[in-house]
Amino acid sequence: MSERIESLARRLDEAARQRHAIAQPEGADAPTLAEAYPVQAALVAQRLARGARRIGMKMGFTSRAKMQQMGLSELIWGRLTSDMVCEEGGPLPFDAYIHPRVEPEVCYLLSKPLEGVVTPLQALDAVEAVAPALEVIDSRYRDFRFSLADVIADNASSAGVVLGAWHKPDVDVANLGIVLAIDGRAAQVGSTAAILGHPLRSLVAAARLVAAAGERLEPGSIVMAGGATAAVELRAGAAVSAEFQRLGRIGFRVSAAEPAA
Ligand code: OOG
Ligand code: MG
């Protein structure tokens, strides 16, 4: 692997580990689109080297709400690892992040491999279960400011995954209302239909996109379909909950900030 890819990945890994945002790279310091996924792979390899396991992948910018919030409109994907899983209920360790945000998603668990061009029916046939989910994103770039290549290199801002109860794959998740609440007050209202018209389309796209990187979606792995609403900033001590029509409620508490030493 090139020294340049390694050094771009190392900068992002250090930013995450030191919980310190870095400036959006400029000019020759910025990854190109061709370098972006290789940098992401190198970044995730550092987590795996520290003992994390690969658990699946996530899709990004699958809803207009997310595209508008971040100013980017191409589908992206990221690699999820076991060290990102946070327990339902919490507490989510606030100090483990830089400037975390939360967004409501739908998560698929696969029982069969998927890769390349597949139909929605083939994708559904590979689904073992579906769950309401919350994703915690935490850009390693200051103020969440990034280009498409920057955010791909940064593993699509992946930081935390909270999963709710698994349901049989035959639950119709095409158009389910979602209310994301912070401290009991609605912060975002949306529908699973915001995810490419149907979250299953995100799974279809995921199979296609990972194949382009020489990977496949593995049996036993999860796929996060992408935020259905804009993401909401997390504050220390906040109570976060999302009510999904038919799929139920999921939530967690954010820990209080550590007093400064
Ligand atoms: C990039 C990650 C996008 C989604 O669900 O659309 C994403 C970001 O917003 O920082 O996770
Ligand atoms: Mg997301």
Side-chain angles (χ1 to χ4, degrees):
M1 194 176 307
S2 86
E3 181 54 39
R4 184 175 148 78
I5 301 283
E6 284 291 348
S7 96
L8 288 166
R10 210 172 313 119
R11 264 190 91 213
L12 288 163
D13 190 50
E14 277 164 17
R17 297 211 301 153
Q18 292 163 8
R19 281 123 212 183
H20 189 79
I22 57 176
Q24 180 181 359
E26 283 178 28
D29 286 342
T32 64
L33 261 181
E35 290 169 328
Y37 281 107
V39 172
Q40 180 189 118
L43 176 63
V44 173
Q46 319 240 32
R47 281 177 178 264
L48 301 180
R50 289 194 289 271
R53 277 177 306 104
R54 179 77 184 277
I55 57 165
M57 50 114 38
K58 62 162 276 182
M59 293 291 290
F61 305 141
T62 52
S63 69
R64 195 167 323 196
K66 281 290 303 182
M67 293 180 205
Q68 279 174 350
Q69 182 179 35
M70 305 318 294
L72 294 170
S73 55
E74 295 254 341
L75 295 187
I76 61 171
W77 63 280
R79 294 164 164 101
L80 300 177
T81 51
S82 53
D83 53 345
M84 296 174 186
V85 177
C86 308
E87 223 172 303
E88 223 263 294
L92 186 92
F94 185 72
D95 296 301
Y97 302 97
I98 302 167
H99 43 197
R101 297 178 176 179
V102 66
E103 55 198 22
E105 306 212 1
V106 168
C107 184
Y108 289 105
L109 173 64
L110 302 184
S111 58
K112 295 180 187 165
L114 273 179
E115 73 185 301
V117 177
V118 299
T119 64
L121 216 59
Q122 285 169 321
L124 186 59
D125 184 53
V127 174
E128 165 100 13
V130 59
L134 290 167
E135 187 187 21
V136 177
I137 52 173
D138 194 31
S139 177
R140 269 54 67 167
Y141 302 113
R142 201 172 296 147
D143 303 323
F144 269 81
R145 221 173 283 198
F146 43 65
S147 69
L148 186 64
D150 297 334
V151 67
I152 291 168
D154 186 27
N155 199 17
S157 305
S158 302
V161 175
V162 184
L163 299 178
W166 291 109
H167 295 257
K168 295 217 170 72
D170 56 7
V171 204
D172 183 3
V173 297
N175 184 7
L176 303 179
I178 303 170
V179 179
L180 175 67
I182 309 286
D183 295 330
R185 260 201 291 268
Q188 290 288 332
V189 177
S191 158
T192 56
I195 304 165
L196 294 176
H198 191 309
L200 198 57
R201 293 212 182 110
S202 181
L203 186 56
V204 168
R208 180 170 44 81
L209 292 178
V210 292
E215 294 197 10
R216 65 173 199 175
L217 302 177
E218 299 291 344
S221 72
I222 61 168
V223 176
M224 295 280 284
T229 71
V232 174
E233 199 174 317
L234 286 177
R235 279 172 291 95
V240 178
S241 76
E243 180 76 41
F244 287 70
Q245 198 182 352
R246 217 170 291 162
L247 297 177
R249 178 189 290 263
I250 168 174
F252 61 85
R253 192 169 52 75
V254 184
S255 73
E258 290 287 332

